[in-house]
Coordinates of all heavy atoms in Angstrom, one line a residue:
E541 N 33.4 107.1 -27.4 CA 34.4 107.9 -26.8 C 34.3 109.3 -27.3 O 34.5 110.3 -26.6 CB 35.8 107.3 -27.2 CG 36.2 106.1 -26.5 CD 35.7 104.8 -27.3 OE1 34.9 105.0 -28.2 OE2 36.1 103.7 -26.9
E542 N 34.0 109.5 -28.6 CA 33.8 110.8 -29.2 C 32.5 111.4 -28.7 O 32.6 112.6 -28.4 CB 33.8 110.7 -30.7 CG 35.0 110.1 -31.3 CD 34.9 109.9 -32.8 OE1 34.2 109.0 -33.2 OE2 35.6 110.5 -33.6
L543 N 31.5 110.7 -28.4 CA 30.2 111.2 -27.9 C 30.5 111.8 -26.5 O 30.0 112.8 -26.1 CB 29.2 110.1 -27.8 CG 28.8 109.5 -29.1 CD1 27.6 108.5 -28.8 CD2 28.2 110.5 -30.1
K544 N 31.3 111.1 -25.7 CA 31.6 111.5 -24.3 C 32.4 112.8 -24.4 O 32.2 113.7 -23.5 CB 32.4 110.4 -23.6 CG 31.6 109.2 -23.3 CD 32.5 108.1 -22.8 CE 31.6 106.8 -22.6 NZ 32.5 105.6 -22.1
L545 N 33.3 113.0 -25.3 CA 34.1 114.2 -25.4 C 33.3 115.3 -26.0 O 33.7 116.5 -25.7 CB 35.3 113.9 -26.3 CG 36.3 112.9 -25.7 CD1 37.4 112.7 -26.8 CD2 37.0 113.5 -24.5
A546 N 32.3 115.1 -26.7 CA 31.5 116.2 -27.4 C 30.0 116.1 -27.1 O 29.3 116.4 -28.0 CB 31.8 116.1 -28.9
T547 N 29.6 115.8 -25.9 CA 28.2 115.7 -25.6 C 27.6 117.1 -25.7 O 28.1 118.0 -24.9 CB 28.0 115.2 -24.2 OG1 28.6 113.9 -24.2 CG2 26.5 115.1 -23.9
P548 N 26.8 117.4 -26.6 CA 26.2 118.8 -26.7 C 25.2 119.1 -25.6 O 24.6 118.3 -25.1 CB 25.5 118.7 -28.1 CG 25.2 117.3 -28.3 CD 26.2 116.5 -27.5
A549 N 25.1 120.4 -25.4 CA 24.2 120.8 -24.3 C 22.8 121.3 -24.9 O 21.9 121.5 -24.1 CB 24.8 122.0 -23.5
S550 N 22.7 121.4 -26.2 CA 21.5 121.9 -26.7 C 21.1 121.1 -27.9 O 21.9 120.4 -28.5 CB 21.6 123.4 -27.1 OG 22.5 123.5 -28.2
S551 N 19.8 121.3 -28.3 CA 19.3 120.5 -29.5 C 20.1 121.0 -30.8 O 20.3 120.3 -31.6 CB 17.8 120.6 -29.7 OG 17.5 122.0 -29.8
E552 N 20.4 122.3 -30.9 CA 21.1 122.8 -32.0 C 22.5 122.2 -32.1 O 22.9 121.8 -33.2 CB 21.2 124.4 -31.9 CG 19.9 125.1 -32.1 CD 19.1 125.1 -30.8 OE1 19.6 124.7 -29.8 OE2 17.9 125.6 -30.8
A553 N 23.2 122.2 -31.0 CA 24.5 121.5 -30.9 C 24.4 120.1 -31.3 O 25.2 119.6 -32.0 CB 25.1 121.7 -29.6
R554 N 23.4 119.4 -30.8 CA 23.1 118.0 -31.1 C 23.0 117.7 -32.6 O 23.7 116.8 -33.1 CB 21.9 117.5 -30.4 CG 21.6 116.0 -30.7 CD 20.5 115.5 -29.8 NE 19.3 116.1 -30.0 CZ 18.5 116.7 -29.1 NH1 19.0 116.7 -27.8 NH2 17.4 117.2 -29.4
V555 N 22.3 118.5 -33.3 CA 22.2 118.4 -34.8 C 23.5 118.6 -35.4 O 23.9 117.9 -36.3 CB 21.1 119.3 -35.3 CG1 21.2 119.3 -36.8 CG2 19.7 119.0 -34.9
S556 N 24.3 119.6 -34.9 CA 25.6 119.9 -35.4 C 26.5 118.7 -35.3 O 27.2 118.4 -36.2 CB 26.1 121.1 -34.8 OG 27.4 121.4 -35.2
V557 N 26.5 118.1 -34.2 CA 27.5 116.9 -33.9 C 27.0 115.8 -34.8 O 27.9 115.1 -35.4 CB 27.6 116.6 -32.5 CG1 28.3 115.2 -32.3 CG2 28.2 117.7 -31.7
A558 N 25.7 115.5 -34.8 CA 25.2 114.3 -35.4 C 25.1 114.3 -36.9 O 25.1 113.3 -37.6 CB 23.9 113.8 -34.8
S559 N 24.9 115.5 -37.5 CA 24.6 115.6 -38.9 C 25.4 116.8 -39.5 O 24.8 117.6 -40.1 CB 23.2 115.7 -39.2 OG 22.7 116.8 -38.5
R560 N 26.7 116.8 -39.3 CA 27.5 117.9 -39.8 C 28.1 117.5 -41.2 O 28.8 116.5 -41.3 CB 28.7 118.1 -38.8 CG 29.6 119.2 -39.2 CD 30.7 119.4 -38.2 NE 30.2 119.6 -36.9 CZ 30.5 118.9 -35.8 NH1 31.4 117.9 -36.0 NH2 30.1 119.2 -34.7
P561 N 27.8 118.4 -42.2 CA 28.5 118.1 -43.5 C 30.0 118.0 -43.5 O 30.6 118.8 -42.7 CB 28.0 119.3 -44.4 CG 26.8 119.8 -43.8 CD 27.0 119.6 -42.3
M562 N 30.5 117.1 -44.2 CA 32.0 116.8 -44.1 C 32.7 117.9 -45.0 O 32.8 117.8 -46.2 CB 32.3 115.5 -44.6 CG 31.6 114.4 -43.8 SD 32.2 114.2 -42.1 CE 33.8 113.5 -42.4
Q563 N 33.3 118.9 -44.4 CA 34.0 119.9 -45.1 C 35.5 119.7 -45.2 O 36.2 120.2 -46.1 CB 33.8 121.3 -44.4 CG 32.3 121.7 -44.3 CD 31.6 121.9 -45.6 OE1 32.3 122.1 -46.6 NE2 30.3 121.6 -45.6
Q564 N 36.0 118.7 -44.4 CA 37.4 118.4 -44.4 C 37.7 117.6 -45.7 O 36.9 117.2 -46.4 CB 37.8 117.7 -43.1 CG 37.2 116.3 -43.0 CD 36.0 116.3 -42.1 OE1 35.1 117.2 -42.2 NE2 35.9 115.4 -41.1
N565 N 39.1 117.3 -45.8 CA 39.6 116.6 -46.9 C 38.9 115.1 -46.8 O 39.1 114.5 -45.9 CB 41.1 116.5 -46.8 CG 41.7 115.8 -48.0 OD1 41.0 115.0 -48.7 ND2 42.9 116.0 -48.2
R566 N 38.2 114.7 -48.0 CA 37.5 113.5 -47.9 C 38.3 112.3 -48.1 O 37.9 111.2 -48.0 CB 36.4 113.6 -49.0 CG 35.3 114.6 -48.7 CD 34.6 114.3 -47.4 NE 34.0 113.0 -47.5 CZ 32.7 112.9 -48.0 NH1 32.0 113.9 -48.3 NH2 32.2 111.7 -48.1
Q567 N 39.6 112.5 -48.5 CA 40.4 111.4 -48.8 C 40.6 110.5 -47.6 O 40.9 109.3 -47.7 CB 41.8 111.9 -49.3 CG 41.7 112.5 -50.7 CD 43.1 113.0 -51.1 OE1 44.1 112.9 -50.4 NE2 43.1 113.5 -52.3
G568 N 40.4 111.0 -46.4 CA 40.6 110.2 -45.2 C 39.4 109.3 -44.9 O 39.4 108.5 -44.0
Y569 N 38.3 109.6 -45.7 CA 37.1 108.8 -45.5 C 36.6 108.2 -46.8 O 35.7 108.6 -47.4 CB 36.0 109.6 -44.9 CG 36.4 110.4 -43.6 CD1 36.7 111.7 -43.5 CD2 36.5 109.6 -42.5 CE1 37.0 112.3 -42.3 CE2 36.8 110.2 -41.2 CZ 37.1 111.5 -41.2 OH 37.5 112.1 -40.0
S570 N 37.4 107.2 -47.2 CA 37.1 106.6 -48.5 C 35.8 105.7 -48.4 O 35.4 105.3 -47.3 CB 38.3 105.7 -49.0 OG 38.4 104.6 -48.1
R571 N 35.3 105.3 -49.5 CA 34.1 104.5 -49.5 C 34.5 103.1 -48.9 O 33.6 102.5 -48.2 CB 33.6 104.3 -50.9 CG 32.9 105.5 -51.5 CD 32.2 105.2 -52.8 NE 31.5 106.4 -53.3 CZ 32.0 107.1 -54.4 NH1 33.0 106.7 -55.1 NH2 31.3 108.2 -54.8
A572 N 35.6 102.7 -49.1 CA 36.1 101.4 -48.6 C 36.0 101.3 -47.1 O 35.7 100.3 -46.5 CB 37.5 101.0 -49.1

Side-chain angles (χ1 to χ4, degrees):
E541 290 84 350
E542 297 170 295
L543 296 183
K544 293 172 184 176
L545 293 173
T547 303
S550 66
S551 60
E552 290 81 4
R554 178 170 63 232
V555 171
S556 175
V557 170
S559 56
R560 181 184 299 127
M562 302 290 290
Q563 301 299 334
Q564 63 264 45
N565 186 338
R566 294 299 297 273
Q567 292 179 355
Y569 302 106
S570 68
R571 289 188 178 111

